Protein backbone atom coordinates (compact mmCIF):
# COMPACT_ATOMS: atom_id res chain seq x y z
CA UNK A 1 0.00 0.00 0.00
CA UNK A 2 1.57 3.22 -1.14
CA UNK A 3 -0.42 5.79 0.88
CA UNK A 4 -4.00 7.00 1.07
CA UNK A 5 -3.83 10.47 -0.48
CA UNK A 6 -4.46 11.62 -4.06
CA UNK A 7 -0.80 12.62 -4.27
CA UNK A 8 0.29 9.14 -3.22
CA UNK A 9 -1.75 7.78 -6.12
CA UNK A 10 -0.21 10.32 -8.53
CA UNK A 11 3.30 9.32 -7.37
CA UNK A 12 2.47 5.63 -7.82
CA UNK A 13 1.20 6.22 -11.38
CA UNK A 14 4.22 8.36 -12.32
CA UNK A 15 6.61 5.78 -10.91
CA UNK A 16 4.99 2.50 -11.99
CA UNK A 17 2.76 3.43 -14.94
CA UNK A 18 4.36 6.51 -16.56
CA UNK A 19 2.60 5.65 -19.84
CA UNK A 20 -0.71 6.39 -18.07
CA UNK A 21 0.33 9.78 -16.71
CA UNK A 22 0.10 13.05 -18.60
CA UNK A 23 1.36 16.43 -17.42
CA UNK A 24 0.00 19.25 -19.58
CA UNK A 25 2.04 22.46 -19.37
CA UNK A 26 0.33 24.20 -22.31
CA UNK A 27 -1.98 26.88 -20.87
CA UNK A 28 -5.61 25.75 -21.05
CA UNK A 29 -8.82 27.68 -20.65
CA UNK A 30 -11.00 26.57 -17.72
CA UNK A 31 -13.94 26.48 -20.11
CA UNK A 32 -14.33 23.17 -21.93
CA UNK A 33 -10.66 22.50 -22.71
CA UNK A 34 -9.79 19.90 -20.06
CA UNK A 35 -12.97 17.93 -20.88
CA UNK A 36 -12.38 18.15 -24.64
CA UNK A 37 -8.79 16.92 -24.21
CA UNK A 38 -9.98 13.93 -22.17
CA UNK A 39 -12.67 13.18 -24.79
CA UNK A 40 -10.09 13.18 -27.59
CA UNK A 41 -7.83 10.86 -25.61
CA UNK A 42 -10.78 8.53 -24.94
CA UNK A 43 -11.53 8.43 -28.66
CA UNK A 44 -7.97 7.19 -29.12
CA UNK A 45 -8.51 4.55 -26.39
CA UNK A 46 -6.32 6.32 -23.84
CA UNK A 47 -7.22 7.02 -20.21
CA UNK A 48 -4.25 8.74 -18.56
CA UNK A 49 -4.36 10.55 -15.23
CA UNK A 50 -3.84 14.20 -16.18
CA UNK A 51 -2.32 17.16 -14.34
CA UNK A 52 -3.03 20.49 -16.02
CA UNK A 53 -0.34 22.72 -14.62
CA UNK A 54 -1.46 25.92 -16.22
CA UNK A 55 -5.12 26.86 -16.14
CA UNK A 56 -5.24 30.41 -17.50
CA UNK A 57 -5.90 32.94 -14.74
CA UNK A 58 -5.26 30.52 -11.84
CA UNK A 59 -2.17 29.47 -9.95
CA UNK A 60 -3.44 26.09 -8.70
CA UNK A 61 -2.98 22.97 -10.86
CA UNK A 62 -5.95 20.88 -11.93
CA UNK A 63 -5.87 17.08 -11.54
CA UNK A 64 -8.38 15.03 -13.48
CA UNK A 65 -9.25 11.67 -15.06
CA UNK A 66 -8.05 9.95 -11.88
CA UNK A 67 -10.55 7.06 -12.02
CA UNK A 68 -10.85 6.44 -15.75
CA UNK A 69 -8.26 3.74 -16.20
CA UNK A 70 -9.29 0.15 -15.46
CA UNK A 71 -5.67 -0.99 -15.29
CA UNK A 72 -4.81 1.60 -12.64
CA UNK A 73 -7.95 0.83 -10.62
CA UNK A 74 -7.01 -2.84 -10.68
CA UNK A 75 -3.44 -1.98 -9.66
CA UNK A 76 -4.55 -0.11 -6.53
CA UNK A 77 -6.72 -3.06 -5.54
CA UNK A 78 -3.87 -5.36 -6.51
CA UNK A 79 -6.09 -7.55 -8.72
CA UNK A 80 -6.48 -8.56 -12.33
CA UNK A 81 -8.58 -5.94 -14.26
CA UNK A 82 -11.08 -8.69 -15.15
CA UNK A 83 -11.78 -9.27 -11.44
CA UNK A 84 -12.37 -5.66 -10.42
CA UNK A 85 -16.07 -5.97 -9.53
CA UNK A 86 -15.73 -9.23 -7.61
CA UNK A 87 -12.67 -8.00 -5.71
CA UNK A 88 -14.42 -4.73 -4.89
CA UNK A 89 -17.42 -6.73 -3.65
CA UNK A 90 -15.31 -9.03 -1.48
CA UNK A 91 -13.05 -6.34 -0.06
CA UNK A 92 -15.82 -3.83 0.69
CA UNK A 93 -17.30 -6.06 3.32
CA UNK A 94 -14.26 -6.31 5.61
CA UNK A 95 -15.19 -3.06 7.37
CA UNK A 96 -12.24 -1.52 9.22
CA UNK A 97 -12.64 1.23 11.85
CA UNK A 98 -11.21 4.57 10.74
CA UNK A 99 -8.40 6.25 12.66
CA UNK A 100 -8.37 9.96 13.55
CA UNK A 101 -4.90 11.48 13.14
CA UNK A 102 -3.94 15.02 14.26
CA UNK A 103 -2.39 17.88 12.22
CA UNK A 104 -3.66 17.14 8.74
CA UNK A 105 -1.70 18.67 5.83
CA UNK A 106 -4.84 20.53 4.71
CA UNK A 107 -4.59 22.64 7.88
CA UNK A 108 -1.67 24.63 6.33
CA UNK A 109 -3.92 27.46 5.12
CA UNK A 110 -7.07 28.52 6.99
CA UNK A 111 -9.53 30.98 5.43
CA UNK A 112 -12.61 32.26 7.25
CA UNK A 113 -15.26 34.97 6.82
CA UNK A 114 -14.52 37.44 4.00
CA UNK A 115 -11.22 35.69 3.20
CA UNK A 116 -13.12 32.75 1.73
CA UNK A 117 -13.18 33.01 -2.06
CA UNK A 118 -14.06 29.83 -3.92
CA UNK A 119 -13.90 31.72 -7.24
CA UNK A 120 -10.09 31.59 -6.93
CA UNK A 121 -10.11 27.82 -7.52
CA UNK A 122 -9.55 26.70 -11.17
CA UNK A 123 -12.96 25.02 -11.30
CA UNK A 124 -13.69 23.92 -14.88
CA UNK A 125 -16.77 24.64 -16.94
CA UNK A 126 -17.01 21.30 -18.69
CA UNK A 127 -19.76 21.66 -21.29
CA UNK A 128 -21.25 24.76 -22.94
CA UNK A 129 -24.60 23.89 -21.30
CA UNK A 130 -23.18 24.06 -17.76
CA UNK A 131 -24.74 26.96 -15.87
CA UNK A 132 -21.48 27.85 -14.08
CA UNK A 133 -18.13 26.34 -13.08
CA UNK A 134 -18.86 23.07 -11.27
CA UNK A 135 -16.90 21.34 -8.50
CA UNK A 136 -17.32 17.70 -9.56
CA UNK A 137 -14.93 15.93 -7.19
CA UNK A 138 -16.46 17.27 -3.98
CA UNK A 139 -16.95 14.48 -1.47
CA UNK A 140 -19.56 15.79 0.95
CA UNK A 141 -19.42 14.39 4.45
CA UNK A 142 -22.23 14.83 7.00
CA UNK A 143 -23.71 13.00 9.97
CA UNK A 144 -27.15 11.47 10.30
CA UNK A 145 -28.88 13.91 12.69
CA UNK A 146 -30.63 10.93 14.31
CA UNK A 147 -27.86 8.34 14.72
CA UNK A 148 -24.66 10.38 14.34
CA UNK A 149 -23.31 7.93 11.74
CA UNK A 150 -21.62 9.85 8.92
CA UNK A 151 -21.50 9.34 5.18
CA UNK A 152 -19.36 10.64 2.33
CA UNK A 153 -20.19 10.87 -1.35
CA UNK A 154 -19.87 12.97 -4.49
CA UNK A 155 -22.53 15.61 -5.12
CA UNK A 156 -22.15 18.18 -7.86
CA UNK A 157 -21.53 21.73 -6.64
CA UNK A 158 -22.34 24.78 -8.73
CA UNK A 159 -20.20 27.85 -8.04
CA UNK A 160 -22.62 30.63 -7.11
CA UNK A 161 -20.41 33.06 -5.23
CA UNK A 162 -17.38 33.41 -2.99
CA UNK A 163 -18.86 31.17 -0.29
CA UNK A 164 -22.05 29.85 -1.92
CA UNK A 165 -22.55 26.63 -3.86
CA UNK A 166 -25.65 25.08 -5.37
CA UNK A 167 -25.88 21.34 -4.66
CA UNK A 168 -28.06 18.55 -5.99
CA UNK A 169 -28.73 15.49 -3.81
CA UNK A 170 -30.67 13.72 -6.57
CA UNK A 171 -29.35 10.21 -5.91
CA UNK A 172 -31.58 10.30 -2.81
CA UNK A 173 -29.39 8.07 -0.70
CA UNK A 174 -27.94 8.87 2.74
CA UNK A 175 -27.01 12.53 2.22
CA UNK A 176 -30.46 13.34 0.89
CA UNK A 177 -32.06 11.56 3.86
CA UNK A 178 -29.73 13.22 6.42
CA UNK A 179 -30.59 16.62 5.01
CA UNK A 180 -34.30 15.77 5.06
CA UNK A 181 -34.01 14.73 8.72
CA UNK A 182 -32.16 17.94 9.64
CA UNK A 183 -34.73 20.01 7.80
CA UNK A 184 -37.55 18.24 9.63
CA UNK A 185 -35.93 19.45 12.86
CA UNK A 186 -35.76 22.97 11.48
CA UNK A 187 -31.96 22.85 11.23
CA UNK A 188 -29.34 23.14 8.49
CA UNK A 189 -27.12 20.09 7.91
CA UNK A 190 -23.48 20.66 8.98
CA UNK A 191 -21.31 19.36 6.15
CA UNK A 192 -17.71 19.32 4.93
CA UNK A 193 -16.60 19.09 1.32
CA UNK A 194 -13.36 17.22 0.70
CA UNK A 195 -11.44 17.86 -2.51
CA UNK A 196 -8.58 15.64 -3.56
CA UNK A 197 -9.11 11.98 -2.77
CA UNK A 198 -7.46 8.69 -3.67
CA UNK A 199 -9.47 6.62 -6.19
CA UNK A 200 -10.05 3.94 -3.52
CA UNK A 201 -12.00 6.57 -1.59
CA UNK A 202 -13.92 7.36 -4.81
CA UNK A 203 -14.67 3.63 -5.16
CA UNK A 204 -15.71 3.10 -1.52
CA UNK A 205 -17.94 6.16 -1.57
CA UNK A 206 -19.96 4.50 -4.34
CA UNK A 207 -20.91 1.53 -2.14
CA UNK A 208 -24.59 1.74 -1.26
CA UNK A 209 -25.80 -1.64 -0.06
CA UNK A 210 -24.50 -1.90 3.49
CA UNK A 211 -25.97 -1.75 7.01
CA UNK A 212 -27.01 1.71 8.26
CA UNK A 213 -24.64 1.62 11.26
CA UNK A 214 -21.55 1.22 9.06
CA UNK A 215 -19.51 4.32 8.09
CA UNK A 216 -18.39 4.68 4.47
CA UNK A 217 -14.94 5.41 5.90
CA UNK A 218 -14.96 1.83 7.24
CA UNK A 219 -15.65 0.56 3.72
CA UNK A 220 -12.88 2.74 2.29
CA UNK A 221 -10.55 1.35 4.97
CA UNK A 222 -11.60 -2.14 3.89
CA UNK A 223 -10.54 -1.32 0.33
CA UNK A 224 -7.17 0.02 1.52
CA UNK A 225 -6.72 -3.02 3.77
CA UNK A 226 -5.88 -0.70 6.67
CA UNK A 227 -7.70 1.89 8.78
CA UNK A 228 -8.56 4.98 6.76
CA UNK A 229 -6.83 8.00 8.28
CA UNK A 230 -9.06 11.00 9.01
CA UNK A 231 -8.62 14.51 10.37
CA UNK A 232 -11.26 16.27 12.48
CA UNK A 233 -12.86 19.54 11.35
CA UNK A 234 -14.39 22.18 13.58
CA UNK A 235 -17.86 21.66 12.05
CA UNK A 236 -19.98 19.24 14.07
CA UNK A 237 -16.78 17.28 14.77
CA UNK A 238 -16.95 16.00 11.19
CA UNK A 239 -14.08 13.78 10.15
CA UNK A 240 -12.65 13.96 6.64
CA UNK A 241 -9.71 12.30 4.88
CA UNK A 242 -6.39 13.24 6.48
CA UNK A 243 -4.66 13.29 3.07
CA UNK A 244 -7.14 15.70 1.37
CA UNK A 245 -6.01 18.71 -0.65
CA UNK A 246 -8.81 21.14 0.28
CA UNK A 247 -11.57 20.99 2.92
CA UNK A 248 -14.57 23.34 2.78
CA UNK A 249 -16.71 23.43 5.93
CA UNK A 250 -20.24 24.79 6.05
CA UNK A 251 -23.92 23.91 6.03
CA UNK A 252 -26.49 22.68 3.58
CA UNK A 253 -29.25 25.16 4.33
CA UNK A 254 -32.70 24.15 5.51
CA UNK A 255 -35.81 25.48 3.80
CA UNK A 256 -33.79 27.14 1.03
CA UNK A 257 -34.02 26.02 -2.60
CA UNK A 258 -32.46 27.93 -5.49
CA UNK A 259 -32.08 27.19 -9.18
CA UNK A 260 -29.17 24.83 -9.77
CA UNK A 261 -28.05 23.55 -13.19
CA UNK A 262 -28.20 22.80 -16.03
CA UNK A 263 -25.20 20.52 -15.94
CA UNK A 264 -23.75 17.93 -18.37
CA UNK A 265 -24.54 14.64 -16.65
CA UNK A 266 -23.54 10.95 -16.76
CA UNK A 267 -26.57 10.21 -18.95
CA UNK A 268 -24.95 12.06 -21.84
CA UNK A 269 -27.60 14.78 -21.57
CA UNK A 270 -27.82 18.28 -20.20
CA UNK A 271 -29.63 17.84 -16.91
CA UNK A 272 -32.07 20.51 -15.79
CA UNK A 273 -33.25 18.41 -12.84
CA UNK A 274 -31.94 19.02 -9.35
CA UNK A 275 -32.94 18.99 -5.68
CA UNK A 276 -31.80 22.66 -5.71
CA UNK A 277 -30.10 22.72 -2.32
CA UNK A 278 -27.64 25.38 -1.17
CA UNK A 279 -24.31 24.98 0.65
CA UNK A 280 -22.77 28.00 2.42
CA UNK A 281 -19.09 27.79 3.38
CA UNK A 282 -17.77 29.24 6.65
CA UNK A 283 -14.21 27.87 6.62
CA UNK A 284 -11.81 26.72 3.89
CA UNK A 285 -8.59 24.89 4.70
CA UNK A 286 -6.01 23.67 2.24
CA UNK A 287 -2.46 22.55 1.72
CA UNK A 288 -0.07 25.39 0.88
CA UNK A 289 0.56 23.70 -2.50
CA UNK A 290 -2.98 22.38 -2.98
CA UNK A 291 -4.19 20.93 -6.29
CA UNK A 292 -7.81 21.00 -7.44
CA UNK A 293 -9.23 17.56 -8.19
CA UNK A 294 -12.04 17.48 -10.76
CA UNK A 295 -14.00 14.51 -12.13
CA UNK A 296 -14.58 14.68 -15.89
CA UNK A 297 -18.36 14.91 -16.28
CA UNK A 298 -20.80 13.71 -18.95
CA UNK A 299 -20.28 10.10 -20.02
CA UNK A 300 -16.50 10.25 -19.52
CA UNK A 301 -14.89 7.13 -18.06
CA UNK A 302 -13.76 9.18 -15.05
CA UNK A 303 -17.46 9.67 -14.23
CA UNK A 304 -18.80 6.25 -15.17
CA UNK A 305 -16.16 3.52 -14.79
CA UNK A 306 -16.51 3.21 -11.01
CA UNK A 307 -20.32 3.40 -11.23
CA UNK A 308 -20.21 0.30 -13.43
CA UNK A 309 -17.90 -1.53 -11.04
CA UNK A 310 -19.79 -0.66 -7.85
CA UNK A 311 -23.18 -1.50 -9.34
CA UNK A 312 -21.93 -4.78 -10.76
CA UNK A 313 -20.51 -5.60 -7.35
CA UNK A 314 -23.58 -4.63 -5.32
CA UNK A 315 -26.05 -6.43 -7.61
CA UNK A 316 -23.84 -9.52 -7.75
CA UNK A 317 -23.57 -9.47 -3.99
CA UNK A 318 -27.36 -9.39 -3.54
CA UNK A 319 -28.04 -12.05 -6.16
CA UNK A 320 -25.40 -14.47 -4.90
CA UNK A 321 -26.94 -14.45 -1.42
CA UNK A 322 -29.98 -16.23 -2.80
CA UNK A 323 -28.93 -17.61 -6.17
CA UNK A 324 -25.50 -19.24 -5.96
CA UNK A 325 -25.79 -20.17 -9.64
CA UNK A 326 -25.51 -16.50 -10.71
CA UNK A 327 -22.13 -16.23 -12.42
CA UNK A 328 -21.59 -12.55 -13.19
CA UNK A 329 -23.22 -9.15 -13.63
CA UNK A 330 -22.40 -6.49 -16.21
CA UNK A 331 -23.55 -2.88 -15.97
CA UNK A 332 -22.41 -1.51 -19.34
CA UNK A 333 -20.80 1.92 -19.66
CA UNK A 334 -22.97 2.28 -22.79
CA UNK A 335 -26.01 2.38 -20.47
CA UNK A 336 -24.46 5.24 -18.46
CA UNK A 337 -22.93 2.85 -15.92
CA UNK A 338 -26.31 2.64 -14.22
CA UNK A 339 -29.48 2.10 -16.21
CA UNK A 340 -29.13 -1.55 -17.32
CA UNK A 341 -27.77 -4.72 -15.70
CA UNK A 342 -27.08 -7.98 -17.50
CA UNK A 343 -27.05 -11.09 -15.33
CA UNK A 344 -25.42 -14.35 -16.34
CA UNK A 345 -26.65 -17.51 -14.65
CA UNK A 346 -26.46 -21.28 -14.93
CA UNK A 347 -30.22 -21.73 -14.75
CA UNK A 348 -31.20 -24.81 -12.78
CA UNK A 349 -34.93 -24.18 -12.31
CA UNK A 350 -37.71 -22.27 -14.00
CA UNK A 351 -38.42 -18.90 -12.38
CA UNK A 352 -34.85 -18.17 -11.34
CA UNK A 353 -34.43 -15.32 -13.88
CA UNK A 354 -37.54 -13.64 -12.40
CA UNK A 355 -36.06 -14.04 -8.91
CA UNK A 356 -32.82 -12.43 -10.13
CA UNK A 357 -34.68 -9.57 -11.81
CA UNK A 358 -36.59 -8.75 -8.61
CA UNK A 359 -33.46 -8.87 -6.46
CA UNK A 360 -31.49 -6.68 -8.87
CA UNK A 361 -34.22 -4.03 -8.89
CA UNK A 362 -34.47 -4.27 -5.11
CA UNK A 363 -30.75 -3.53 -4.82
CA UNK A 364 -30.29 -0.68 -7.24
CA UNK A 365 -32.65 2.23 -7.84
CA UNK A 366 -31.11 3.68 -11.01
CA UNK A 367 -31.26 0.38 -12.86
CA UNK A 368 -34.42 0.17 -15.01
CA UNK A 369 -33.69 -2.82 -17.25
CA UNK A 370 -32.38 -6.23 -16.17
CA UNK A 371 -31.59 -8.85 -18.79
CA UNK A 372 -30.87 -12.41 -17.64
CA UNK A 373 -28.91 -14.72 -19.94
CA UNK A 374 -27.51 -18.26 -19.81
CA UNK A 375 -23.90 -19.03 -18.98
CA UNK A 376 -22.92 -19.58 -22.64
CA UNK A 377 -23.51 -15.88 -23.33
CA UNK A 378 -20.65 -13.43 -22.92
CA UNK A 379 -22.26 -10.65 -20.88
CA UNK A 380 -19.34 -8.29 -21.53
CA UNK A 381 -20.05 -8.54 -25.27
CA UNK A 382 -23.24 -6.63 -26.03
CA UNK A 383 -23.48 -8.28 -29.45
CA UNK A 384 -23.73 -11.68 -27.78
CA UNK A 385 -26.31 -10.36 -25.29
CA UNK A 386 -28.49 -8.88 -28.06
CA UNK A 387 -28.29 -12.20 -29.92
CA UNK A 388 -29.55 -14.00 -26.82
CA UNK A 389 -32.43 -11.51 -26.40
CA UNK A 390 -33.32 -11.84 -30.08
CA UNK A 391 -33.29 -15.65 -30.10
CA UNK A 392 -34.30 -16.72 -26.58
CA UNK A 393 -36.81 -14.14 -25.28
CA UNK A 394 -40.49 -14.27 -26.16
CA UNK A 395 -42.29 -10.99 -25.50
CA UNK A 396 -45.54 -12.57 -24.23
CA UNK A 397 -43.76 -14.75 -21.67
CA UNK A 398 -40.36 -13.30 -20.90
CA UNK A 399 -40.91 -9.55 -20.40
CA UNK A 400 -41.85 -8.25 -16.95
CA UNK A 401 -42.95 -4.66 -16.46
CA UNK A 402 -42.96 -2.80 -13.14
CA UNK A 403 -44.74 0.50 -13.72
CA UNK A 404 -44.49 3.44 -11.32
CA UNK A 405 -41.16 2.37 -9.82
CA UNK A 406 -38.68 4.83 -8.31
CA UNK A 407 -36.16 5.78 -10.97
CA UNK A 408 -33.23 8.13 -11.35
CA UNK A 409 -34.18 11.81 -11.25
CA UNK A 410 -31.54 12.46 -13.91
CA UNK A 411 -32.84 9.79 -16.29
CA UNK A 412 -34.55 11.96 -18.93
CA UNK A 413 -37.02 9.11 -19.50
CA UNK A 414 -38.22 9.21 -15.88
CA UNK A 415 -41.47 11.05 -15.21
CA UNK A 416 -40.76 14.81 -15.00
CA UNK A 417 -43.24 15.17 -12.11
CA UNK A 418 -42.44 12.26 -9.79
CA UNK A 419 -39.32 10.67 -11.40
CA UNK A 420 -40.88 7.23 -11.62
CA UNK A 421 -40.11 4.87 -14.48
CA UNK A 422 -41.44 1.59 -15.79
CA UNK A 423 -38.78 -1.01 -15.11
CA UNK A 424 -38.41 -3.96 -17.43
CA UNK A 425 -36.99 -7.40 -16.77
CA UNK A 426 -36.09 -9.60 -19.75
CA UNK A 427 -35.64 -13.34 -19.35
CA UNK A 428 -33.37 -14.22 -22.28
CA UNK A 429 -32.51 -17.68 -20.95
CA UNK A 430 -33.51 -20.86 -22.73
CA UNK A 431 -36.62 -22.54 -21.28
CA UNK A 432 -35.74 -25.20 -18.73
CA UNK A 433 -36.88 -28.80 -18.89
CA UNK A 434 -36.88 -29.16 -22.67
CA UNK A 435 -34.50 -29.20 -25.61
CA UNK A 436 -33.82 -25.90 -27.33
CA UNK A 437 -32.25 -25.05 -30.67
CA UNK A 438 -28.57 -25.96 -30.72
CA UNK A 439 -26.13 -23.05 -30.79
CA UNK A 440 -23.60 -23.06 -33.61
CA UNK A 441 -20.01 -23.21 -32.45
CA UNK A 442 -16.58 -23.20 -34.03
CA UNK A 443 -14.29 -24.93 -31.57
CA UNK A 444 -10.84 -23.73 -30.51
CA UNK A 445 -9.04 -26.33 -32.61
CA UNK A 446 -10.91 -25.27 -35.76
CA UNK A 447 -10.22 -21.61 -35.02
CA UNK A 448 -6.53 -22.28 -34.55
CA UNK A 449 -6.35 -24.18 -37.85
CA UNK A 450 -8.18 -21.39 -39.68
CA UNK A 451 -5.78 -18.79 -38.27
CA UNK A 452 -2.84 -20.91 -39.34
CA UNK A 453 -4.14 -21.16 -42.92
CA UNK A 454 -4.85 -17.42 -43.11
CA UNK A 455 -1.49 -16.52 -41.57
CA UNK A 456 0.17 -18.76 -44.17
CA UNK A 457 -1.54 -16.62 -46.82
CA UNK A 458 0.00 -13.53 -45.26
CA UNK A 459 -3.29 -12.19 -43.89
CA UNK A 460 -2.28 -9.96 -41.01
CA UNK A 461 -3.45 -10.17 -37.38
CA UNK A 462 -4.37 -13.82 -37.60
CA UNK A 463 -1.90 -15.32 -35.15
C1 LIG B 1 -18.58 11.84 -10.12
C2 LIG B 1 -19.86 11.60 -9.42
C3 LIG B 1 -20.73 12.66 -9.21
C4 LIG B 1 -21.91 12.46 -8.53
N1 LIG B 1 -22.74 13.52 -8.35
C5 LIG B 1 -23.87 13.37 -7.63
C6 LIG B 1 -24.72 14.48 -7.37
O1 LIG B 1 -24.50 15.59 -7.86
N2 LIG B 1 -25.79 14.29 -6.59
C7 LIG B 1 -26.10 13.07 -6.06
O2 LIG B 1 -27.10 12.96 -5.35
N3 LIG B 1 -25.34 11.98 -6.31
C8 LIG B 1 -24.23 12.11 -7.07
N4 LIG B 1 -23.43 11.03 -7.33
C9 LIG B 1 -23.80 9.71 -6.79
C10 LIG B 1 -23.51 9.63 -5.30
O3 LIG B 1 -22.21 10.11 -5.03
C11 LIG B 1 -23.65 8.20 -4.81
O4 LIG B 1 -24.97 7.78 -5.03
C12 LIG B 1 -23.29 8.06 -3.37
O5 LIG B 1 -23.36 6.68 -3.05
C13 LIG B 1 -24.24 8.82 -2.48
O6 LIG B 1 -23.76 8.74 -1.17
P1 LIG B 1 -24.66 8.99 0.09
O7 LIG B 1 -25.34 7.68 0.43
O8 LIG B 1 -23.67 9.40 1.10
O9 LIG B 1 -25.66 10.05 -0.22
C14 LIG B 1 -22.25 11.18 -8.04
C15 LIG B 1 -21.38 10.12 -8.26
C16 LIG B 1 -20.21 10.32 -8.97
C17 LIG B 1 -19.29 9.16 -9.21
Amino acid sequence: MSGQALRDFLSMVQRDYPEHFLRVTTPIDRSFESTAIVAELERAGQHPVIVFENVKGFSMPLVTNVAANRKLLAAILDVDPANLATSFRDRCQNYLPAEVVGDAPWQDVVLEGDDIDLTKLPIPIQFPVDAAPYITAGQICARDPETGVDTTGFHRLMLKGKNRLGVSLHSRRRMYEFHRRAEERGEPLPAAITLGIHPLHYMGSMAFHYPPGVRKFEIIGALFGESYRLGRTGTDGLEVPWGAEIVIEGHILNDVREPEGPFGEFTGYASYRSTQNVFVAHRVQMRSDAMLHSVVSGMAADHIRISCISREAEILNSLRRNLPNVRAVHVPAETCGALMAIVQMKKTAAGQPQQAIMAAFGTETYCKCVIVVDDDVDIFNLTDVMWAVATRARADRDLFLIPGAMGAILDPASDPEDNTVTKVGVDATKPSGRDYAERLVIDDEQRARAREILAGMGIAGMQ
Side-chain angles (χ1 to χ4, degrees):
M1 185 52 54
S2 55
Q4 299 181 346
L6 173 61
R7 351 185 124 205
D8 297 315
F9 173 71
L10 297 182
S11 303
M12 185 277 280
V13 179
Q14 279 176 279
R15 187 186 61 235
D16 301 337
Y17 301 91
E19 70 281 16
H20 296 303
F21 186 86
L22 195 61
R23 190 177 292 283
V24 179
T25 51
T26 309
I28 60 148
D29 200 291
R30 70 126 77 149
S31 295
F32 321 135
E33 290 194 354
S34 57
T35 303
I37 287 171
V38 170
E40 284 309 298
L41 285 162
E42 282 196 3
R43 274 156 55 92
Q46 293 180 40
H47 304 282
V49 176
I50 310 180
V51 177
F52 290 100
E53 287 197 335
N54 193 343
V55 183
K56 285 181 208 163
F58 300 92
S59 54
M60 192 181 279
L62 175 70
V63 183
T64 196
N65 222 28
V66 158
N69 191 312
R70 210 176 165 88
K71 188 169 179 187
L72 297 179
L73 296 176
I76 53 174
L77 272 178
D78 201 17
V79 295
D80 190 281
N83 298 332
L84 258 175
T86 40
S87 306
F88 172 82
R89 179 185 79 99
D90 293 344
R91 294 267 285 276
C92 260
Q93 297 173 73
N94 305 326
Y95 313 130
L96 275 177
E99 180 188 354
V100 177
V101 185
D103 296 334
W106 44 260
Q107 289 166 339
D108 284 351
V109 178
V110 183
L111 302 167
E112 290 176 325
D114 285 347
D115 291 334
I116 296 176
D117 190 356
L118 299 174
T119 68
K120 288 191 174 151
L121 301 174
I123 307 169
I125 302 176
Q126 302 210 32
F127 288 95
V129 72
D130 292 357
Y134 264 86
I135 295 178
T136 54
Q139 279 278 319
I140 308 186
C141 177
R143 286 182 199 283
D144 181 344
E146 289 179 8
T147 66
V149 177
D150 59 6
T151 190
T152 179
F154 284 127
H155 300 274
R156 72 186 192 210
L157 293 152
M158 171 181 167
L159 185 66
K160 291 194 158 200
K162 286 169 68 171
N163 68 346
R164 199 172 185 89
L165 298 163
V167 55
S168 180
L169 307 177
H170 50 249
S171 55
R172 293 179 286 179
R173 298 192 198 274
R174 286 166 175 77
M175 190 62 68
Y176 176 87
E177 179 61 16
F178 296 178
H179 179 263
R180 195 196 62 72
R181 290 179 183 180
E183 202 162 53
E184 204 168 60
R185 296 168 173 223
E187 295 166 2
L189 182 71
I193 301 166
T194 301
L195 285 162
I197 49 152
H198 191 284
L200 281 183
H201 178 143
Y202 182 157
M203 235 185 242
S205 81
M206 292 297 287
F208 47 83
H209 218 242
Y210 58 94
V214 170
R215 302 175 76 186
K216 278 223 189 118
F217 292 131
E218 295 171 341
I219 296 172
I220 297 164
L223 292 175
F224 276 111
E226 61 181 15
S227 292
Y228 195 37
R229 291 186 285 281
L230 304 175
R232 192 162 289 142
T233 70
T235 301
D236 198 34
L238 284 171
E239 292 161 7
V240 298
W242 185 86
E245 295 290 319
I246 303 171
V247 176
I248 307 170
E249 294 170 52
H251 290 89
I252 304 177
L253 304 181
N254 52 318
D255 302 322
V256 177
R257 300 290 186 277
E258 285 177 2
E260 185 274 329
F263 177 68
E265 271 294 351
F266 72 97
T267 51
Y269 290 94
S271 173
Y272 290 78
R273 299 179 180 178
S274 167
T275 58
Q276 304 195 316
N277 298 98
V278 177
F279 177 97
V280 175
H282 62 241
R283 187 178 302 115
V284 176
Q285 300 185 71
M286 66 178 94
R287 296 181 187 238
S288 50
D289 59 347
M291 304 175 284
L292 183 78
H293 178 192
S294 177
V295 175
V296 190
S297 59
M299 284 185 76
D302 197 20
H303 200 177
I304 282 185
R305 178 103 56 214
I306 287 180
S307 292
C308 299
I309 295 166
S310 68
R311 287 192 165 88
E312 284 167 11
E314 297 284 25
I315 295 172
L316 186 61
N317 201 23
S318 283
L319 296 186
R320 283 260 182 90
R321 288 179 182 192
N322 203 21
L323 293 163
N325 48 332
V326 166
R327 293 270 162 87
V329 174
H330 181 206
V331 175
E334 290 83 348
T335 64
C336 317
L339 302 180
M340 178 187 284
I342 303 158
V343 177
Q344 184 197 51
M345 65 159 55
K346 170 101 189 138
K347 189 165 86 172
T348 54
Q352 283 176 338
Q354 287 83 338
Q355 204 62 31
I357 289 164
M358 289 188 287
F361 285 140
T363 308
E364 177 23 33
T365 316
Y366 278 29
C367 182
K368 59 175 185 176
C369 176
V370 176
I371 300 174
V372 185
V373 296
D374 296 299
D375 64 340
D376 65 326
V377 176
D378 178 359
I379 59 170
F380 294 96
N381 177 347
L382 294 183
T383 305
D384 214 23
V385 174
M386 285 303 107
W387 170 82
V389 171
T391 60
R392 295 182 185 176
R394 243 179 51 180
D396 61 330
R397 187 189 58 195
D398 298 325
L399 282 188
F400 311 97
L401 299 181
I402 306 167
M406 181 178 170
I409 291 181
L410 298 192
D411 173 4
S414 72
D415 187 287
E417 297 298 321
D418 63 11
N419 308 121
T420 58
V421 287
T422 297
K423 305 215 171 189
V424 57
V426 182
D427 175 4
T429 60
K430 291 180 280 185
S432 44
R434 70 168 170 88
D435 286 343
Y436 199 73
E438 193 180 331
R439 183 174 189 169
L440 304 179
V441 284
I442 298 174
D443 67 28
D444 289 348
E445 201 178 318
Q446 288 159 349
R447 279 177 204 272
R449 177 70 189 131
R451 281 199 297 271
E452 203 179 291
I453 293 170
L454 290 167
M457 293 164 63
I459 296 177
M462 289 296 168
Q463 271 305 351

